[in-house]
Amino acid sequence: MKRRDFVTALGIGASAAALSACGKKQPEDCGPEGAGEKAASKEAIQWKMVTTWPKNFPGLGTAPERFAKNIAKMSNGRLEIKVYGAGELVPALEVFSAVSAGTAEIGHGAAYYWKGKEPAAQFFAAVPFGLNAQEMNSWIHYGGGQQLWDEAYDQFNLKPFAGGNTGVQMAGWFRKKINSLEDLKGLKMRIPGLGGEVLKKLGGVPVNIPGGELFTALQTGTIDATEWVGPYNDLAFGLYKAAKYYYYPGWHEPGTTLEVIINKKALKALPEDLQMIVEQAIRASNQDMLDEYTARNNQALNTLVNEHKVELLKLPKDVLKQLHVVSNEVIQEVANTSDLTKKVYESFTKFAEQSRAYHMISEQAFYETRAL
């Protein structure tokens, strides 16, 4: 054999051996100059994630970004998720419909935004005077809540997950003081879900607008008040520049669960290991968000009060009592709208009763003892 032919044959043999060995290695080990990485990238499953939050907004908007990065690392690049903020691909309040239709494979939002599609959805976000973050997680994961949530969303081709929690929220920002129930009459306030229905029953005017529009609406007087989340997010939006009075407690949202919704067809199309990675990454994001808000809220509140001279006020006791009474009426009315909603209500209520009974001698008793 001539030398030239020998060298050619040797090269072909070496390439074949390398390709054979490549099948036993990680993609980045294969081929010259990261050719394996390029191949893996081409074969990666691409998902679009739409959210109801402004792009990279602290807490709410950054959580989906961290989730997408975690998925990429955990799957070794096999699943890539591109995150879109509100309005970038679809409007903020169209996330549910977009994921249901398959326009995007996955979304991040809050279940009470979709009460027009399924009234039962509201119970999986926040119930006035209801469960706090710890209790919501427990009900969903161990109290039968997840099964009912699945049932509620199945008709929309969606699989829901708890994807974050803000903890107890603030009652909101008001352009005038609230001294009595009379001050709620005619009040135009951005407040979604069941809380909005309570305000309406007391003579107020609930408005449901995306977070990105809140500051302008409050500043121009389009609305008289708004609730958003709490100090960490409210400071970021600069709401203190548009309203002077900051009220607590967040009676309407005692532990708001954010949701990740996935198109069921897209989820089932994933290999089983990627399905598990997605589910566990969501579970981690759910806890991570609560940790972040717990860590950031106090510092932000100090900034609002001490630097921006915000007037921090507690809602009057008689106002809170009546809000509680009317909340129970509204919740009962919603519960009677369908068999499914009634079933969700009964599960939620039963869990709440058990949780309160135990927390009277655990959480609540400890807080009272700590305050001595």
Side-chain angles (χ1 to χ4, degrees):
M1 181 182 291
K2 295 182 180 179
R3 176 177 175 80
R4 183 176 62 187
D5 294 337
F6 174 77
V7 171
T8 301
L10 181 62
I12 293 174
S15 297
L19 287 172
S20 177
C22 183
K24 301 177 182 179
K25 297 181 179 181
Q26 296 298 321
E28 62 268 25
D29 296 329
C30 304
E33 298 180 0
E37 291 182 0
K38 294 179 181 178
S41 179
K42 289 180 180 178
E43 296 172 3
I45 298 169
Q46 306 285 336
W47 273 14
K48 295 184 289 291
M49 184 177 200
V50 289
T51 78
T52 60
W53 325 116
K55 183 75 171 179
N56 286 317
F57 186 72
L60 299 176
T62 53
E65 301 286 351
R66 287 198 297 267
F67 165 74
K69 290 179 181 177
N70 288 341
I71 288 290
K73 290 181 180 179
M74 293 167 72
S75 70
N76 196 27
R78 292 164 58 209
L79 177 58
E80 297 178 353
I81 300 176
K82 181 174 176 58
V83 180
Y84 294 88
E88 289 190 319
L89 188 61
V90 299
L93 300 183
E94 293 297 321
V95 166
F96 188 94
S97 296
V99 180
S100 177
T103 303
E105 291 79 11
I106 185 169
H108 195 277
Y112 49 38
Y113 289 145
W114 334 125
K115 68 177 185 178
K117 297 182 181 296
E118 174 50 67
Q122 300 171 90
F123 286 91
F124 301 101
V127 174
F129 299 95
L131 302 179
N132 64 18
Q134 179 180 342
E135 293 165 332
M136 280 294 289
N137 283 330
S138 298
W139 174 58
I140 290 171
H141 296 138
Y142 288 97
Q146 183 67 59
Q147 291 78 8
L148 291 168
W149 203 359
D150 290 342
E151 183 178 347
Y153 280 27
D154 184 65
Q155 61 186 311
F156 301 103
N157 189 37
L158 293 171
K159 169 66 176 176
F161 298 92
N165 201 298
T166 64
V168 181
Q169 296 197 2
M170 294 290 284
W173 297 86
F174 295 75
R175 291 163 61 91
K176 65 176 184 179
K177 285 188 176 182
I178 302 300
N179 296 313
S180 68
L181 287 170
E182 195 67 25
D183 293 324
L184 297 179
K185 293 182 178 179
L187 186 80
K188 293 178 293 182
M189 182 175 183
R190 184 272 180 190
I191 178 170
L194 293 166
E197 294 303 314
V198 173
L199 177 67
K200 184 178 180 180
K201 199 160 187 175
L202 287 170
V205 183
V207 180
N208 191 15
I209 57 177
E213 301 174 18
L214 290 184
F215 179 81
T216 301
L218 189 60
Q219 187 182 49
T220 59
T222 302
I223 55 177
D224 306 308
T226 183
E227 65 81 45
W228 179 229
V229 180
Y232 180 39
N233 279 167
D234 296 358
L235 176 62
F237 262 159
L239 296 177
Y240 62 90
K241 300 176 184 177
K244 181 179 180 181
Y245 306 112
Y246 198 25
Y247 276 92
Y248 71 96
W251 59 273
H252 61 303
E253 298 192 37
T256 310
T257 297
L258 287 309
E259 68 176 10
V260 172
I261 49 176
I262 304 178
N263 181 280
K264 289 182 69 176
K265 185 177 179 180
L267 182 61
K268 289 180 180 178
L270 293 179
E272 288 188 5
D273 64 327
L274 285 185
Q275 290 185 38
M276 181 60 70
I277 285 173
V278 169
E279 291 185 20
Q280 292 306 310
I282 294 172
R283 188 73 172 258
S285 293
N286 183 54
Q287 183 62 48
D288 185 63
M289 183 185 288
L290 180 60
D291 296 345
E292 182 178 7
Y293 276 96
T294 303
R296 307 293 185 210
N297 272 328
N298 187 60
Q299 183 178 359
L301 183 61
N302 286 336
T303 299
L304 287 168
V305 173
N306 298 325
E307 294 184 21
H308 299 300
K309 308 306 177 184
V310 166
E311 194 165 344
L312 182 64
L313 300 167
K314 185 176 182 179
L315 287 170
K317 184 176 292 186
D318 60 332
V319 171
L320 285 170
K321 283 184 177 180
Q322 191 60 28
L323 284 169
H324 200 169
V325 170
V326 176
S327 291
N328 289 336
E329 294 174 0
V330 167
I331 294 166
Q332 187 64 61
E333 290 171 4
V334 173
N336 292 328
T337 57
S338 71
D339 290 341
L340 174 59
T341 308
K342 185 177 181 180
K343 188 160 55 172
V344 173
Y345 164 78
E346 289 175 348
S347 172
F348 184 96
T349 303
K350 182 179 179 180
F351 189 89
E353 290 172 352
Q354 295 174 346
S355 181
R356 288 193 186 106
Y358 178 66
H359 280 173
M360 285 289 290
I361 62 170
S362 58
E363 303 289 330
Q364 185 170 331
F366 171 71
Y367 291 149
E368 291 173 354
T369 302
R370 190 167 65 178
L372 292 176

